Structures are given as C-alpha cells and as structure tokens.
C-alpha cells in the first residue's frame, strides 16, 4: 500500500503538529518494525445519515459527535494475524476514554475488502454511502468487552 506507507513517512507528523489527527503505531517488539498504524480525527455525522433503528433512543440533534478512523494500515507481513482487529479495539478504547464525547466511530473504506473487514467487526454501512461505515462506541465496547476506564 504505497499511499499508506507514504502517509506514515511524509504526512502523519504534519497532521499531528497541525492537530488534524493523531497517529497510533503498532511496532513489533522483536524487530522494531512498524506492523500497523491508524489515525483518529474529530468528526461528526448527521443524525439522518444513520439507520432509523440506531436513532430511536438518540437526541434529535442535527449532528452527532464522532471519531473518524482516517487511515488504518497493516503491513503485508502482519496481515491475517489480527493486528487490524487489535487496532480497532484500541481505537474504541481511545474514543471511549477521550475527554470530548463521541457517539460513534466512522470510517470511509477504501475498497470492498476494507469495508468487509469493518463489517466483520460490527461496523454498519451508512444508508447513503455504502463505503462509509459506523460503529457506535457503546456497541464497540460491548462487542469487544472493553469497559470504559473511570
């Protein structure tokens, strides 16, 4: 994934300095190799973009706070080893623990394979954009049995 490699080498540091996003890196303890990374940014989602089943118990605010997983990349040597799943769990934990509240995690999948990965982890496609998916943070905590820290 040359574009994702290039992002980590050339852009991630600038995004962090500009407070556009934070990058979290998984490093192989034995080799020091970057195994994977993901970025989180503040975002929002219009209430009417969510399926009606999700909005039943929500306040009728026009938009809800969200955390965007802007990039998630796993080195080819570490794929099929649940590294991506571990990063999603970490993203859920960080989003649940963040001082500003967020209702959901958002992701814009780059292709169908990525969308399938997120769907396997409980993410739901938005009605209007099938490659944009969301996972309510409370649902993610339940799915991965990660109680919020207090």
């Amino acid at each position: 994934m040359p574009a994702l490699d290039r992002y980590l080498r050339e852009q991630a540091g600038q995004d962090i300095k500009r407070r556009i996003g934070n990058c979290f890196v998984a490093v192989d303890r034995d080799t020091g190799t970057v195994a994977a990374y993901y970025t989180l940014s503040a975002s929002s989602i219009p209430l009417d973009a969510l399926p009606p089943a999700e909005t039943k118990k929500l306040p009728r605010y026009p938009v809800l706070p969200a955390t965007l997983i802007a990039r998630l990349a796993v080195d080819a040597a570490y794929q099929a080893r649940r590294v991506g799943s571990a990063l999603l769990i970490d993203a859920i934990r960080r989003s649940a623990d963040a001082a500003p509240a967020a209702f959901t995690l958002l992701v814009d999948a780059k292709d169908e394979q990525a969308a399938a990965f997120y769907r396997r982890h409980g993410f739901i496609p938005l009605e209007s954009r099938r490659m944009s998916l969301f996972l309510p943070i409370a649902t993610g905590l339940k799915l991965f049995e990660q109680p919020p820290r207090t």
Side-chain angles (χ1 to χ4, degrees):
M1 295 182 273
L4 293 172
D5 291 344
R6 187 173 37 258
Y7 172 80
L8 186 59
R9 282 193 320 271
E10 300 173 10
Q11 188 67 39
Q14 293 176 38
D15 284 355
I16 293 166
K17 286 178 190 171
R18 293 178 182 141
R19 301 201 45 80
I20 293 169
N22 284 319
C23 186
F24 303 93
V25 179
V27 177
D28 185 316
R29 290 182 191 169
D30 296 330
T31 65
T33 303
V34 172
Y37 73 91
Y38 72 95
T39 63
L40 292 179
S41 298
S43 189
S44 63
I45 186 168
L47 183 67
D48 61 6
L50 298 173
E54 287 294 324
T55 63
K56 285 181 194 174
K57 296 181 182 178
L58 294 175
R60 297 292 165 217
Y61 301 136
V63 294
L64 297 171
T67 302
L68 175 68
I69 300 175
R71 288 175 172 76
L72 188 151
V74 179
D75 185 279
Y78 294 89
Q79 290 182 0
R81 294 168 64 180
R82 305 204 42 84
V83 175
S85 299
L87 293 182
L88 282 179
I89 292 168
D90 190 66
I92 291 166
R93 165 68 70 197
R94 288 178 189 277
S95 298
D97 290 347
F103 163 71
T104 192
L105 283 173
L106 290 175
V107 66
D108 292 319
K110 68 180 180 78
D111 57 28
E112 185 51 45
Q113 182 180 355
F117 168 80
Y118 290 110
R119 284 192 304 269
R120 282 193 307 274
H121 287 86
F123 281 72
I124 303 163
L126 294 178
E127 299 285 323
S128 59
R129 300 182 322 224
R130 304 303 290 170
M131 297 299 277
S132 295
L133 301 97
F134 75 100
L135 177 69
I137 291 170
T139 301
L141 290 170
K142 289 176 190 171
L143 288 174
F144 297 107
E145 299 177 2
Q146 300 289 316
R149 290 181 236 171
T150 56

